[in-house]
């Protein structure tokens, strides 16, 4: 098939590269000329395992191409995927400017049948707006050309997006015309050979499914963090509780880890957008509001433990920080717990020595002018001259460190473990004070 992908961001680029790897011809459109130039040279602008290889293969085969000309993109493919950003507006709603701009572009330039596919995460009713925008442009031109609008939300996890796309749990397609259903089935046939994964539903149902899925996962995280905060006050080990409830088949183990809250580009934005949609429809979403509020508080939890340990006297201290990205295997720092922690520490006059395997460049872009931040070349370098260590991202290389080396390098043997990576009793025996989430603190 010939596919046009409007947007070469996280979703658009991964989708385009994976479609091309299955033999489709894909033209990716982005109005950022510099980004397009880099992509044509094979430069991957995001950290995502396996994507660089797919991009190189797509470029070499000629099946994956890039342009900064929307008109060229509209002419190219029957399928017009819309995978542009929908950032949160000031009121928490999803900003649809870029989505509707693409829709108008399709209506302005199309000369034959087109199927517009909403891949971006959008509120219920967006497909109706896209349909109206395309129709309005066709009306201006005096054209009567066939088109349809389909919802096909993405369910990609940062750090495993290529794997998720190629081996999906499910493929949600919201479509009502037989023609669009036939085309979408054919498009995804190579991804469903093992067993049927494509779920057909109405367009509005598909739009809601995406928000419901992310909000459900966010709720599990906030629920576990709520349990963890209660557990700390009762002398209970939340890790034991996690295993106890996760063994129940009705609950399962996924997304049951207590920590410093969720971040990234999806959960915070989507929970907020669904709350806005609910309120706009006349319903007060009490549970969603609680999910968001628990997460907001949880991102400050590690800072409060640091302040309590040092008796509120933080000015002049130096903290070693392991992890900047909101999760492993990505450089994404959007809504990351590290940002909340660092900014709170800087307000108290604390210096931060930080390291992340992937997010150093992003940290430099965000905080390059912050005098209280020093970005280090290794986890060990972070520790030099630091009064304590805080861990906020569960990268594999942080999971089994040399604790004797850590103790030698730190001024004080104190670890603030925001991801419950370490065994409190092991650290007590090694002479550390250890603070985690939902487990009793230990003093070595």
């Amino acid at each position: 098939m010939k596919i046009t992908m409007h947007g070469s961001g996280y979703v658009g680029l991964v989708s385009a590269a994976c479609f091309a790897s299955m033999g489709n011809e894909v033209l990716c459109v982005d109005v950022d000329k510099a980004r397009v130039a880099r992509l044509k040279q094979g430069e991957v602008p995001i950290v995502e395992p396996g994507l660089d290889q797919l991009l190189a293969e797509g470029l070499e085969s000629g099946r994956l191409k890039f342009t900064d000309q929307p008109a060229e993109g509209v002419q190219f493919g029957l399928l017009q995927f819309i995978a542009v950003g929908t950032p949160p507006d000031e009121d928490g709603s999803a900003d649809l400017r870029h989505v509707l701009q693409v829709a108008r572009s399709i209506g302005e330039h199309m000369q034959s049948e087109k199927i517009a596919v909403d891949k971006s995460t959008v509120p219920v009713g967006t497909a109706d707006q896209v349909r109206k925008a395309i129709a309005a442009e066709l009306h201006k031109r005096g054209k009567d050309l066939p088109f349809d609008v389909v919802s096909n939300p993405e369910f990609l996890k940062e750090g495993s997006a290529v794997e998720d796309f190629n081996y999906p749990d499910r493929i949600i397609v919201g479509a009502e015309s037989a023609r669009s259903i036939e085309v979408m089935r054919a498009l995804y046939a190579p991804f469903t050979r093992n067993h049927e994964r494509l779920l057909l539903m109405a367009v509005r149902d598909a739009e809601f499914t995406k928000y419901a899925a992310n909000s459900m996962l966010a709720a599990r995280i906030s629920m576990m963090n709520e349990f963890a905060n209660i557990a700390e006050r009762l002398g209970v080990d939340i890790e034991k509780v996690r295993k106890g409830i996760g063994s129940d088949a009705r609950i399962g183990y996924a997304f049951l880890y207590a920590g410093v809250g969720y971040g990234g580009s999806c959960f915070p934005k989507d929970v907020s957008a669904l709350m806005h949609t609910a309120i706009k429809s006349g319903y007060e979403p009490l549970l969603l509001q609680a999910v968001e509020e628990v997460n907001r508080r949880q991102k400050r939890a590690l800072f409060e433990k640091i302040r309590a340990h040092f008796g509120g006297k933080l000015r002049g201290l130096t903290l070693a920080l392991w992890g900047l990205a909101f999760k492993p295997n990505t450089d994404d720092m959007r809504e990351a717990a590290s940002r909340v922690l660092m900014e709170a520490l800087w307000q108290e006059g604390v210096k931060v020595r930080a390291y992340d395997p992937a997010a150093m460049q992003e940290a430099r872009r965000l905080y390059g002018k912050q005098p209280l931040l020093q970005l280090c070349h290794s986890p060990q370098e972070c520790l030099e001259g630091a009064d304590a260590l805080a861990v906020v991202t569960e990268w594999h290389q942080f999971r089994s460190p040399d604790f004797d080396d850590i103790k030698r390098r730190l001024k004080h043997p104190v670890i603030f473990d925001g991801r419950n990576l370490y065994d409190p009793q092991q650290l007590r025996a090694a002479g550390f004070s250890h603070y985690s989430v939902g487990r009793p603190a230990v003093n070595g």
Side-chain angles (χ1 to χ4, degrees), residues 87-284:
D89 217 333
E90 291 183 4
D91 60 0
S93 63
D95 185 343
L96 298 178
R97 284 178 297 171
H98 303 305
V99 171
L100 297 178
Q101 183 180 349
V102 172
R104 287 190 291 270
S105 178
I106 293 171
E108 180 183 356
H109 299 295
M110 62 184 287
Q111 300 294 337
S112 58
E113 178 192 12
K114 300 295 173 186
I115 299 175
V117 184
D118 284 334
K119 199 70 173 169
S120 303
T121 300
V122 294
V124 173
T126 299
D128 297 334
Q129 295 186 55
V130 169
R131 189 182 301 276
K132 289 177 183 177
I134 295 174
E137 292 299 322
L138 288 173
H139 181 73
K140 286 181 187 177
R141 296 167 56 201
K143 298 283 187 178
D144 184 16
L145 298 171
F147 75 92
D148 195 18
V149 181
V150 170
S151 175
N152 176 218
E154 54 85 17
F155 295 93
L156 307 179
K157 300 186 295 293
E158 291 193 44
S160 60
V162 172
E163 185 81 5
D164 290 344
F165 196 100
N166 287 330
Y167 305 98
D169 295 324
R170 76 290 205 199
I171 299 165
I172 303 294
V173 172
E176 281 133 36
S177 81
R179 165 68 169 159
S180 294
I181 292 172
E182 176 190 17
V183 171
M184 295 300 286
R185 280 196 183 279
L187 173 65
Y188 279 110
F191 301 92
T192 61
R193 291 189 66 190
N194 181 269
H195 64 273
E196 183 59 71
R197 295 183 177 91
L198 194 144
L199 302 177
L200 282 172
M201 57 186 70
V203 172
R204 294 172 76 88
D205 297 344
E207 291 172 332
F208 192 84
T209 297
K210 169 64 177 181
Y211 278 115
N214 278 356
S215 296
M216 177 70 78
L217 296 174
R220 284 174 69 99
I221 294 171
S222 281
M223 179 66 82
M224 279 306 293
N225 284 330
E226 188 89 315
F227 289 159
N229 293 333
I230 298 170
E232 279 184 22
R233 289 155 174 80
L234 299 177
V236 171
D237 186 338
I238 196 65
E239 282 296 295
K240 300 293 194 304
V241 175
R242 178 183 67 82
K243 294 172 183 176
I245 64 176
S247 60
D248 187 328
R250 297 168 300 175
I251 297 173
Y253 291 102
F255 287 82
L256 285 189
Y257 289 93
V260 287
Y262 59 78
S265 62
C266 295
F267 289 4
K269 173 176 68 72
D270 294 351
V271 170
S272 178
L274 185 55
M275 285 168 51
H276 180 270
T277 297
I279 293 169
K280 190 176 179 181
S281 71
Y283 179 78
E284 186 178 7

Side-chain angles (χ1 to χ4, degrees), residues 380-381 383-386 404-411:
Q380 293 74 27
E381 184 186 341
L383 303 171
E384 298 294 344
D404 290 336
D405 181 66
I406 293 174
K407 192 173 181 182
R408 283 194 300 269
R409 293 173 186 267
L410 289 176
K411 290 182 180 179

Side-chain angles (χ1 to χ4, degrees), residues 298-377:
Q298 199 67 18
K299 288 183 179 180
R300 285 189 60 88
L302 213 58
F303 169 73
E304 298 300 339
K305 294 176 192 291
I306 294 169
R307 180 159 60 180
H309 175 83
F310 288 104
K313 299 175 182 178
L314 298 179
R315 187 164 301 277
L317 295 179
T318 298
L319 183 85
L321 181 63
W322 285 3
L324 293 165
F326 86 95
K327 63 181 288 188
N329 298 320
T330 181
D331 62 345
D332 194 345
M333 289 181 63
R334 285 174 288 184
E335 303 283 344
S338 65
R339 299 181 64 172
V340 176
L341 175 59
M342 289 192 295
E343 290 169 12
L345 290 169
W346 292 333
Q347 286 185 350
E348 298 291 330
V350 178
K351 296 178 182 178
V352 175
R353 295 171 60 83
Y355 171 77
D356 187 282
M360 302 295 275
Q361 184 174 340
E362 179 66 2
R364 201 169 286 114
R365 183 185 71 83
L366 292 169
Y367 298 117
K369 296 182 179 179
Q370 171 54 253
L372 292 176
L373 173 64
Q374 181 176 351
L375 296 173
C376 301
H377 294 94

